[in-house]
Amino acid sequence: MAGYAFISPFIIGFLCFTVIPMGASLFLSFTSYDLFTPPKWVGFDNYKAMLTDDEKYWGSLKVTFYYVLAGVPLRLAFALFIAVILNRAEKGVGIYRTLFYLPSIIGGSVAVAIMWRNVFGNDGVINGLLFFLGFDKKIFWYQDPTSALWTLILLSVWQFGSSMLIFLAGLKNIPPMYQEAASVDGANRFQRFFLITLPLLSPIIFFNLVMQTISAFMTFTPAYIISKGEGGPLDGTLLYSLYLFQRAFNFFQMGYASAMAWVMLILIGLVTFILFKTSSLWVHYESKEG
Amino acid sequence: MLMRRFVFVSLCILLTLGLFGCSSNTEEAAGADGKKKVTLRVAWWGGQPRHDYTSKIIELYEKEHPHVKIEAEFANWDDYWKKLAPMSAAGQLPDVIQMDMAYLSQYGKKGQLEDLTPYVKDGTINTESIDEKTIKGGKIGDQLYGFPLGVNVLSVITNDDLLKEAGVEIDDGSWTWTDFENLALEVEEKTGQYGSNGMHPPDVFFPYYLRTKGERFYKEDGTGLAYSDDKLFVDYFKRQVKLVDEKASPTPDESAQVKGMEDDFIVKGRTAATWNYSNQFAAFAQLTDAPLSLKLPPEQAKEKALFLRPSMLFSIPKSSEQKKEAAAFIDFFINNEKANALIKGERGVPVSSKIAATVKSQLSEEEKKIFEYVERATEYAGEAEPPEPIGSAEVIKLLKDTSDQILFKKITPEEGAAKFRKEADAILKRNQQ
Amino acid sequence: MEPVKDISGRAAPAPLPAGNRKKRAGQLVFHITTAGLAIILLYPVIWLIASSFKESASIFATSHSLIPDPLILSNYTEGWKGIAGQPFITFIKNSLIIVGLSTAGAVLSSAFIAYGFARIPFKGKAFWFSCMMVTMMLPHEVLMIPQYIIFAKLDWLNSFKPIVVPQFFGHAFFIFLMIQFIRTIPVELDEAAKIDGCSRLGIFFRIILPLIAPALATSAIFSFYWKWEELINPLLYLNKPELYPVSLALKLFLDTETASNWGAMFAMSVVSLVPVILVFFVFQKSIVQGISMSGLK
């Protein structure tokens, strides 16, 4: 059928480049594999050990959930805020958009890590700013696991550019006539925002929410480069993917790492499913999806 | 309609088969010197200076051996090991791989590396001026899995200005751990700077401490920890905690914030003594104007706690198809004078005493100090540590985590000692199967 | 079409009939707050640029001051010379090839595939759609080794192929995005074209593709920037330094055991930002304006 003709590139690629490695990784999760000698079958041992005998595993899960729950809403809220501000035809707004997008372009390079550690250093700019705003105590960001995790969360919020872009597009899409009608009816700025803009924007918010949540669960590079692969201090920045990586490449336990990956896959699938199911409560579609 | 789907699926299968069928063929023409043409892949880790001069050495080799073409593959430390693992899994390792003691067991014992003994025996790798003890560093049992390129020794590097300011002197032939502790406290009191850099990483210096007390860290057969008295652990870490509390040593997060050598405490004049391997002296000396010198660590004499450690090695994978040529390259690297004039001991003090002597005369004052220090240490050196057992990576991480927890005051040294022992033994036992 | 009315509902003034002065005051407030915010947010980037003009050894010692003293250009000239005989322009060239091919492949194939999902009913569509969504949820570290072995068997190692070729088979994020876009195009247009004798393929090329141009542009920007930055695949599949893209090459300047060449690395990081910024700046207006026309519902 014609449908298959069109999606055939996806199917081919999926089969060749994804399914086979996926199947292999599922198989590996039931083995002990050190990359050098052939995998040894161990059944559910990896999964058992992970869930019952591994402090760090639960630690990394906790850290990751904290990261997602704190980071994603913050990031989306910030992106929305900026998108709203930049949603106008002022001269030079294009430049502002580029400037605000800049942090996310710098991405996960080593330069970012150096820079970020510097900014949050004990004598860094952030502490200087806090001092300027009246706080009299220096925060030793990297001495405490939670505050170290916050530097990661703030890094992700700082790189809100892509979400902002999509919000901008969504905002442009709202027909001005709704806003006009409302203001004729006497609605003020805030009412207009919360009663008109937000609901009409909700499909976009949903899209961003799902995408950002999935990618937040899989965050690796910032944690890796900022903690120099250690996940410190005291495993405060040991995100799930980082721990997975350590198990796979530092400890040569590919089987265990594969098991971790599959658990994460199931977890993300569950969360996404829940997001989709609860979306009907708050997401408002103008027209039936067709 | 079903037809079309069928066609696509079969096309897909054909395509994949076709791709599998394709393979490149290696040409085998004779080289300029009549020998069969050979391509060697040589891989190493390092920084920019190392990449630059090693490429020059490769050019030199190609000129002298026209039938050999060398493909260089290099990256920094982190990336290097990330690349090597998949290559190994796929049987695609380069012909000459730079190897580190931390990974030698993993790659060697799991059958990835070739035993180099035959190449030493038949003279491909000339070991005339190389000490047996040094070569042994690359051995696991009887198998020579890697040939050492250079030698390092543990050292205490001191900022002599700060020492003078604090009014302390070190007699490094005879000083004790207590002397070291007092020195650190003195320095803090008199100058406000740290007396010690905190002895990072713990997996290097705690075993050294054990050696000074006549104990070892790992059991010979790698089935567990060797030292049985946890008091040793407690004493070592109690001392670290005390120094941190008295501000004579930095806190763990301060140490973690050091971004590189130019940010290091010794370079910024913030510590009087730093614990490092001897080869790092060169970089430190280059980055600061303060006078630095290398001192033997405390209490090394009685139990011959010091040892010569291969700084790095060259190994040949079992999967290589030109092992003899690879071995010839290794020999060139170690024994050729022109090559070593470019290396200048950057990979450690050369293992060949003849080369070491030649190179020494070409060095700067600071670089010479390293050579002299290693020579001096050689006289005191005892048996080298055997290569680390499988599972050591986990044990190292465990020790570091435990050390952090102790220094962050989450657990006491006593609790740390018990916890470490229990978990380390479990790890090592698990990896025996 | 210019949105005359401001529909943001927040920081902007409503255009009052008597308010020319108020409007200008509002504009001033806008510029000051936005510019101020931008500067705060961009401080780390400014620091990066400033550091690239400082001497390597003093970058961290003087990290408080944004003013390089002395201001040197040698980081740029040195960095440009490259590493171990490879001039930096080689790395940029490699990046451009990889990113260009990948982006073209990803965007076109994703559009093709999205059309199939969005417009054509067929059995098993829901199944394949879920498969596609799942590919976005897979942690990459674990697919890495099996994928590497597959590529090794295909003899594609040490070439751009493992990095570029899979892009021609669609990328879930773009596919999903474009599906949403295509859904907003009234089916009547398709029907009209079919009546006129257009085949499915024809509809795709002549109707759908032009109408989702903004989605194509958005995908292109994302693909460009993701691929430009990508480290892990080039690391695994490229052994010869002459094939390295910029992202990988920058790491060669750093080393834990010797003095890293921070200055050159920062300088070249700044240089490597330029193409990405340009691409974004050029495309951003048309995207936002254009996306709004067809709408993302």
Side-chain angles (χ1 to χ4, degrees), chain B residues 151-405:
Chain B
V151 162
N152 274 346
V153 181
L154 288 179
S155 62
V156 175
I157 299 176
T158 55
N159 177 331
D160 298 331
D161 273 349
L162 270 183
L163 287 183
K164 212 188 299 178
E165 198 186 316
V168 277
E169 264 185 30
I170 302 179
D171 172 9
D172 69 346
S174 66
W175 62 325
T176 63
W177 286 106
T178 322
D179 291 335
F180 160 67
E181 190 179 316
N182 291 336
L183 175 146
L185 296 168
E186 254 319 279
V187 168
E188 197 283 321
E189 212 188 288
K190 296 272 174 54
T191 70
Q193 306 290 357
Y194 295 128
S196 153
N197 77 323
M199 294 171 75
H200 292 292
D203 57 280
V204 170
F205 296 105
F206 175 58
Y208 171 73
Y209 178 77
L210 288 175
R211 281 178 72 107
T212 62
K213 302 290 177 191
E215 296 276 0
R216 288 286 185 275
F217 189 62
Y218 291 117
K219 283 211 190 101
E220 275 284 342
D221 58 6
T223 55
L225 296 174
Y227 71 100
S228 48
D229 187 356
D230 277 346
K231 184 163 179 310
L232 293 161
F233 187 101
V234 173
D235 285 344
Y236 178 84
F237 280 102
K238 270 218 177 102
R239 174 168 289 132
Q240 301 296 346
V241 172
K242 177 160 178 210
L243 289 180
V244 170
D245 283 345
E246 303 283 339
K247 305 246 194 309
S249 261
T251 55
D253 63 303
E254 271 191 276
S255 300
Q257 295 210 31
V258 170
K259 293 166 207 61
M261 295 220 127
E262 45 290 294
D263 208 26
D264 200 296
F265 299 107
I266 188 93
V267 164
K268 298 209 294 207
R270 296 222 55 213
T271 182
T274 181
W275 294 68
N276 290 93
Y277 276 111
S278 49
N279 65 328
Q280 290 169 301
F281 180 81
F284 287 146
Q286 205 190 0
L287 292 167
T288 174
D289 290 329
L292 302 178
S293 59
L294 292 142
K295 303 266 193 296
L296 297 167
E299 289 192 27
Q300 44 81 19
K302 194 170 76 156
E303 302 282 350
K304 287 193 174 263
L306 278 185
F307 55 95
L308 300 178
R309 184 179 182 275
S311 51
M312 56 192 80
L313 317 99
F314 266 159
S315 297
I316 304 180
K318 274 215 166 79
S319 59
S320 165
E321 304 192 348
Q322 25 257 354
K323 299 199 181 103
K324 187 126 182 164
E325 291 287 350
F329 179 78
I330 297 180
D331 174 72
F332 181 83
F333 213 83
I334 300 177
N335 288 314
N336 182 288
E337 274 188 25
K338 272 187 276 175
N340 278 280
L342 292 168
I343 303 178
K344 293 212 322 198
E346 195 268 338
R347 284 174 148 96
V349 173
V351 291
S352 152
S353 51
K354 202 172 75 168
I355 293 286
T358 332
V359 171
K360 193 162 154 198
S361 53
Q362 303 165 5
L363 297 174
S364 70
E365 275 308 310
E366 302 293 344
E367 288 165 335
K368 270 206 190 98
K369 282 192 191 163
I370 304 181
F371 278 57
E372 284 160 8
Y373 176 75
V374 172
E375 275 167 29
R376 199 169 150 228
T378 315
E379 292 173 36
Y380 294 96
E383 279 290 308
E385 293 273 303
E388 312 194 3
I390 301 191
S392 66
E394 269 190 87
V395 175
I396 289 177
K397 186 90 181 46
L398 177 66
L399 185 57
K400 179 154 198 315
D401 287 344
T402 315
S403 165
D404 280 347
Q405 285 165 4

Side-chain angles (χ1 to χ4, degrees), chain C residues 63 86 93 156 234 259:
Chain C
S63 64
Q86 302 294 336
K93 181 190 74 164
W156 281 7

Side-chain angles (χ1 to χ4, degrees), chain A residues 4 9 17 25 84 88 96-98 104-107 115 118 123 125 158 162 169 172-173 189 204 211 249, chain C residues 8-10 12 31 41 43-44 47 64 123 142 144 147 169 176 222 225 229 276 281 284 291-292 295-296:
Chain A
Y4 277 98
F17 301 120
S25 84
V84 159
R88 55 204 296 154
Y96 283 128
R97 289 191 196 133
T98 313
S104 51
I105 298 184
I106 302 196
M115 190 177 67
N118 199 61
D123 294 309
V125 162
W158 185 63
S162 47
K172 285 280 184 203
N173 198 42
R189 214 172 292 154
I204 315 302
M211 291 303 169
F249 290 96
Chain C
S8 64
R10 276 231 194 173
H31 279 287
L41 282 180
Y43 175 85
W47 183 83
H64 285 297
K123 245 181 21 167
V142 141
M144 225 161 93
Q147 269 181 350
F169 294 91
F176 189 37
F222 279 130
Y225 141 65
E229 282 226 305
V276 191
F281 188 68
Q284 56 86 24
I291 288 180
S292 69
L296 185 101

Side-chain angles (χ1 to χ4, degrees), chain A residues 1 5 8 34-36 40 56 114 117 121-122 142-143 224 228 230 234 245-246 250-253, chain B residues 1 78 82 85 88-89 106-107 110 112 253 256-258 393-394 397 400-401 405 408 410 433:
Chain A
M1 299 207 251
S8 59
D34 62 6
L35 291 181
F36 302 138
K40 247 189 331 197
K56 270 197 196 226
I114 311 287
R117 262 191 169 254
N122 294 344
Y142 289 104
Q143 202 177 65
Y224 182 76
K228 295 197 217 152
E230 298 274 337
L234 293 178
F245 177 86
Q246 283 180 356
N250 292 350
F251 300 163
F252 293 99
Q253 292 170 350
Chain B
M1 294 302 126
D78 282 333
K82 260 196 260 185
S88 197
Q106 191 76 37
Y107 281 85
K110 299 273 183 172
Q112 298 297 306
D253 63 303
Q257 295 210 31
V258 170
E394 269 190 87
K397 186 90 181 46
K400 179 154 198 315
D401 287 344
Q405 285 165 4
F408 275 122
K410 302 287 183 200
Q433 309 151 329

